[in-house]
Amino acid sequence: MVKIIFARHGQSEANLAGVLAGRRGANPLTAAGRQQACAAADLLPSSIALWKVSEVARCAETADLLMRTHAKNHDSAVPAAAVMGEFSEVDYGDWSGRPLEELRRLPEWERVQNTPQDMVFPGGEAQHDAWLRTRQGVEKVLDELRERNSEAVAVVVTHGDIIKMAVADALGLQLQNFQRTAVAPGSLTTIDYASRVPVLTALSVTPAGRTGQASTLGGGA
């Protein structure tokens, strides 16, 4: 039972405003986003071996709420989460901070959705590079879990596109197919790596039953 539970950060102010936040600027969780994080903690298993988190502030805020609520639920000490740059948000470069409706009108939007392996965000990162570092991050976490025991679980608090890339890789899909899933804010996605072939056991689960949005970056607001 070597599992990774990928937690997407709760709704942020940028999510609510329909803005692509990326890595730039202050972007705290909304009241709804904080509630989503606390509620998601109730769905986590009692024993978690590792907590990992993106360096971006909205993920750190989400991780803190998840860990504190989980510790309270199980009458345990609040753990610490290790920051991993591999799970940082895609660097959207000059697209960061711009309204999604504006970005959807750009000619590059079709490339983002249909041929992401060819997309390099202006002033930012290639989607292929984000894909590669996500795969590297997963392997590092799995190495740590397997060193502990055969029934270890990790929670990785990260971003929608990163989770979608991890899911696509686990399912044996290429990068160009990663947009075929959507991951809601405050949701949990579980991949079981115990056998030779990874198995997706849960996708975008939220206590409120909210689903991700198709055809958008990250998985919607």
Side-chain angles (χ1 to χ4, degrees):
M1 193 186 71
V2 179
K3 293 182 180 180
I4 299 179
I5 300 172
F6 294 92
R8 186 182 175 194
H9 62 79
Q11 182 192 65
S12 69
E13 291 183 355
N15 290 145
L16 185 62
V19 169
L20 182 65
R23 300 179 180 180
R24 300 179 184 178
N27 181 30
L29 301 185
T30 63
R34 293 190 292 274
Q35 192 278 331
Q36 288 167 353
C38 292
D42 295 339
L43 302 178
L44 294 173
S46 59
S47 179
I48 297 171
L50 299 172
W51 293 83
K52 304 292 185 180
V53 62
S54 158
E55 61 197 0
V56 179
R58 58 188 178 273
C59 286
E61 186 178 0
T62 299
D64 182 69
L65 291 166
L66 277 171
M67 292 186 297
R68 290 184 181 278
T69 305
H70 184 267
K72 181 179 179 182
N73 288 348
H74 298 281
D75 194 25
S76 60
V78 179
V83 173
M84 288 187 66
E86 290 89 347
F87 297 117
S88 187
E89 177 66 289
V90 177
D91 185 354
Y92 298 115
D94 298 340
W95 283 28
S96 303
R98 296 174 64 179
L100 286 165
E101 283 303 317
E102 176 185 303
L103 294 172
R104 288 189 182 100
R105 294 194 290 269
L106 297 178
E108 295 92 342
W109 185 263
E110 183 177 355
R111 191 184 312 155
V112 169
Q113 295 300 318
N114 299 316
T115 57
Q117 69 275 14
D118 299 326
M119 181 63 186
V120 180
F121 291 98
E125 185 177 27
Q127 281 186 294
H128 185 260
D129 290 342
W131 163 266
L132 292 177
R133 65 174 167 82
T134 298
R135 295 177 70 181
Q136 291 167 356
V138 168
E139 287 304 315
K140 287 182 180 180
V141 173
L142 292 176
D143 286 344
E144 281 193 64
L145 289 175
R146 288 164 180 153
E147 286 177 1
R148 288 171 175 262
N149 59 63
S150 61
E151 296 187 357
V153 177
V155 174
V156 174
V157 185
T158 182
H159 308 268
D161 276 348
I162 301 302
I163 296 171
K164 289 159 60 177
M165 289 176 182
V167 167
D169 187 54
L171 295 178
L173 303 176
Q174 298 300 311
L175 174 59
Q176 57 263 38
N177 296 316
F178 95 104
Q179 298 283 23
R180 293 187 179 188
T181 58
V183 181
S187 67
L188 303 178
T189 293
T190 303
I191 302 174
D192 190 324
Y193 294 91
S195 59
R196 184 180 60 85
V197 177
V199 177
L200 177 67
T201 59
L203 176 67
S204 191
V205 175
T206 66
R210 185 169 183 167
T211 62
Q213 296 172 315
S215 301
T216 187
L217 290 166

